[in-house]
Amino acid sequence: MKKVIVDMDGVMADVYHQLIQFEKRDTGKEVELNEITGKPELEVFPNGKKHVNEVGFFRTLPLMKGSKEAIEYLNSKYELYIVSAGMEFPNSLREKYDWLAEHFPFITWEQIVLCGSKKVVAGDVMIDDYPKNLDHFSGERLIFTQPHNELVENETYRRVNSWEEIMEIL
């Protein structure tokens, strides 16, 4: 059975939606997704570091469209692991675990890997939105489109724009 590794933030959870909402709440500035293509998150969201360290930020992330159904499908077909970097933002460890328990109750604690670096992760397929996580992965690399990676061109990645596309591939 193939081992499939799935990232949380920006793949299962809609971090951009949350950052947009928090930025609007704190500054009144309305950020439009179509205006931030290729720009680093901290350039677009100057308060982003503060926001991701805020209690509740990761716990209240909205689901990425189609992620629940797709993860349930992948879980039934593959050896599935949810791998998310959490050490940089210590509040996120508990919040990510609780978020997964709420939205993906069929994922067991044994399938959840909250880590510092994903360089040690091995499997057959990895779905992530950050090239830095995919670059060290030796299996098939699916890059989930987000504004910060839209301009990235790398022949070792297969670009996916939605969970529907992922289900067609896998």
Side-chain angles (χ1 to χ4, degrees), residues 117-122 126 130-139 141 157:
S117 170
K118 295 183 186 178
K119 290 178 184 177
V120 299
V121 176
M126 180 183 252
Y130 272 101
K132 69 179 181 182
N133 296 324
L134 295 169
D135 287 343
H136 300 283
F137 189 73
S138 61
R141 304 165 187 177
Y157 306 156

Side-chain angles (χ1 to χ4, degrees), residues 49-64:
K49 271 279 201 224
K50 179 183 95 166
H51 293 148
V52 297
N53 282 294
E54 189 174 316
V55 172
F57 181 87
F58 290 96
R59 180 65 182 92
T60 59
L61 287 168
L63 282 167
M64 193 68 75

Side-chain angles (χ1 to χ4, degrees), residues 5-106:
I5 311 296
V6 180
D7 177 38
M8 279 181 63
D9 305 324
V11 177
M12 295 170 66
D14 194 344
V15 175
Y16 272 92
H17 176 84
Q18 190 86 320
L19 286 168
I20 288 169
Q21 295 306 311
F22 276 52
E23 196 67 33
K24 184 177 179 182
R25 176 197 73 190
D26 290 359
T27 67
K29 179 182 174 193
E30 294 199 32
V31 176
E32 298 290 333
L33 281 177
N34 60 351
E35 297 172 359
I36 60 175
T37 299
K39 295 180 181 174
E41 291 168 329
L42 289 178
E43 180 183 319
V44 177
F45 304 104
N47 296 302
K49 271 279 201 224
K50 179 183 95 166
H51 293 148
V52 297
N53 282 294
E54 189 174 316
V55 172
F57 181 87
F58 290 96
R59 180 65 182 92
T60 59
L61 287 168
L63 282 167
M64 193 68 75
K65 183 180 181 283
S67 65
K68 187 169 187 171
E69 300 78 13
I71 293 294
E72 196 160 13
Y73 163 77
L74 293 176
N75 193 46
S76 70
K77 190 172 176 185
Y78 300 101
E79 184 181 349
L80 180 70
Y81 292 92
I82 309 305
V83 178
S84 187
M87 301 309 292
E88 186 177 359
F89 312 112
N91 289 334
S92 77
L93 293 170
R94 183 69 206 200
E95 292 187 10
K96 287 180 180 198
Y97 179 82
D98 290 343
W99 185 89
L100 283 167
E102 176 186 349
H103 297 290
F104 300 88
F106 51 88

